[in-house]
Structure formats: structure tokens, C-alpha cells
Amino acid sequence: MINSPLLLVLLAVVAFLYASVGHGGASGYLALMSLFAFPVTFMKPTALVLNILVSAISFYFFYREKKFEWKLFYPFAITSIPFSFLGGMITIETHYYKIILATVLVLAVARLLGLFGHEKTVRKPLNLPLALFVGAIIGFLSGLLGIGGGIILSPVILLLGWANIKQTAAVSALFIFVNSISGLFGFLSKGGIIPVSSVSLIVAAVVGGILGAYYGSRKFNTLTLRTVLGFVLGIAILKLYTT
């Protein structure tokens, strides 16, 4: 099942689309793995590894285009990194894991389809206490579920008017990268193991991530592909809620 051509193609498409907006794609990878009936013990560490690689690639391309702002990044990272480690140490019962993941995927679909998180015309100053609080909450969920948290952070930044779309993508990419590393270390510290059999998934995600970050850091319209991915994620949400 791991080497299924359909799974590898879909995984590459997910990596392409998420990297194009500065995301690592963990929520999409987890959705696909749930559709293909992978066990949770395989899903979480594999999604974190894929997230680390794709978010690093995405950050490189957006940083090269001079879209990254350190002062927008560090307030979220200060609290998210330790809380992501804490979340990574926790393993919850499969049923509850699926329910929480499905809820986060609803947010992912809404973001992909452009239902919220639009760019504000006037940029507002960052609220430091709020950013620290948001970072802690997202960090914990990141480690707990095996995601990087960008799918939650991006709409928050855009809704509050703290940055434009490209700046948000650059910050989200690095945010996802550090949180995924922290969450993975938390997972490993409790005796977790990275599945060796996930190599083919890694290759597919890296290829898709490179192409997505390259085009996304410039100007690329992926509306049709995003709609298709939203439909796939929607199926995964229904499966997670009903199994």
C-alpha cells in the first residue's frame, strides 16, 4: 500500500499545493494516509518527517524572494517549540486522535478553498501577548497530531492583518519546520520510531514540494488543484469522523 502509484501521485500533489503557500502539508499527508488505512503509529512520525523536508524547501524559496520577516516569526516560535515537544510526547487513543485531526482538516479545507484568511489592505502591528498565546496553542496541537501548525497559523496572521500573503507563507514555512522538529523529538523521546518504509513517500513529497515552492514563491494560480484537493480532504474528514 505504501508504494501505491495513486498514493504517491496524490502525495506529490499535496506537497506541491501546500509548499506553494509556505506549508509543509502534514494535514494533507495525514488525510491521505487515513484514506489508505495506515495505522496512527505510522501516520504521526511519517507526517512530521515529510513536514520537516517540505517546509524547509518552501522556506528556502520564499526566503530567497525576500519575503521572510524575523520579527513576525519569533513571537510564535518562542512558545510553540516547547509546547510542540510536549505535544509530541503525548499519544492519545486512536478514536480521539481521528476526531481532533478531522476537525483540523476542516480548517485546512476552508483555507485551501479561500473561505477565510484573505489578505488585509492595511497591515496592523503585531500583538505580542496574543502571538505568544497563539504560538503555544498551535505548538501543542502540532506535536500532538503530527502537523506543523501552519494551516492554523496562516489564517490567524492574515485575519489579524499582521502580514501579507507572501510574508505569511515565509513565516509559516519556518514555523512548521521548527515545530515539526520539536514534535518529532518529543515523539522519539517517548520511544517512538520513524518507519523506514516511508522512504518512497519522502521522495514523492520532496519532488512535489520543490515544484510547489518554486512556483508559489513567485506567482502561480492553483485554484483548480486546490478545489480537487479540498474534495479529497473532505472525503478523508468524513472517513475520520465515521471510523
Side-chain angles (χ1 to χ4, degrees):
M1 187 66 72
I2 293 177
N3 295 314
S4 164
L6 177 59
L7 172 62
L8 297 178
V9 169
L10 289 174
L11 196 77
V13 170
V14 167
F16 177 92
L17 292 174
Y18 276 74
S20 71
V21 292
H23 292 177
S27 56
Y29 309 142
L30 289 169
L32 287 178
M33 286 187 278
S34 70
L35 282 175
F36 283 80
F38 285 100
V40 171
T41 52
F42 180 95
M43 291 167 58
K44 182 174 178 177
T46 300
L48 284 170
V49 171
L50 297 180
N51 230 24
I52 290 169
L53 295 172
V54 175
S55 63
I57 292 168
S58 185
F59 175 70
Y60 167 76
F61 280 99
F62 279 96
Y63 182 83
R64 193 175 66 171
E65 294 294 316
K66 297 181 172 31
K67 304 300 181 183
F68 178 73
E69 288 191 13
W70 173 258
K71 64 181 180 180
L72 182 62
F73 165 75
Y74 81 85
F76 299 107
I78 287 175
T79 51
S80 72
I81 293 174
F83 274 89
S84 181
F85 182 86
L86 177 63
M89 295 175 65
I90 299 173
T91 300
I92 58 177
E93 198 271 325
T94 299
H95 172 72
Y96 295 108
Y97 176 88
K98 289 182 176 181
I99 294 297
I100 298 173
L101 175 59
T103 304
V104 172
L105 285 177
V106 171
L107 182 65
V109 171
R111 177 72 182 93
L112 282 169
L113 299 181
L115 299 181
F116 60 84
H118 297 288
E119 186 176 33
K120 302 291 185 181
T121 54
V122 179
R123 182 170 177 178
K124 298 178 181 179
L126 181 74
N127 183 317
L128 184 59
L130 180 57
L132 292 171
F133 176 74
V134 168
I137 297 299
I138 297 177
F140 181 76
L141 284 174
S142 299
L144 182 69
L145 297 176
I147 62 175
I151 202 67
I152 306 174
L153 179 65
S154 290
V156 169
I157 292 177
L158 291 171
L159 283 169
L160 295 175
W162 290 343
N164 62 34
I165 290 176
K166 297 292 186 181
Q167 292 164 339
T168 299
V171 167
S172 293
L174 187 57
F175 181 82
I176 291 165
F177 178 74
V178 297
N179 278 333
S180 297
I181 290 177
S182 180
L184 184 61
F185 273 113
F187 174 78
L188 296 175
S189 72
K190 299 297 289 186
I193 299 174
I194 299 174
V196 179
S197 55
S198 61
V199 173
S200 58
L201 304 185
I202 290 174
V203 173
V206 167
V207 172
I210 291 174
L211 294 174
Y214 175 79
Y215 287 106
S217 61
R218 290 166 172 75
K219 186 176 182 180
F220 188 67
N221 189 344
T222 57
L223 180 59
T224 301
L225 289 176
R226 288 175 195 273
T227 302
V228 173
L229 178 57
F231 177 74
V232 173
L233 293 182
I235 295 174
I237 290 169
L238 289 176
K239 185 175 186 295
L240 287 167
Y241 274 135
T242 56
T243 58

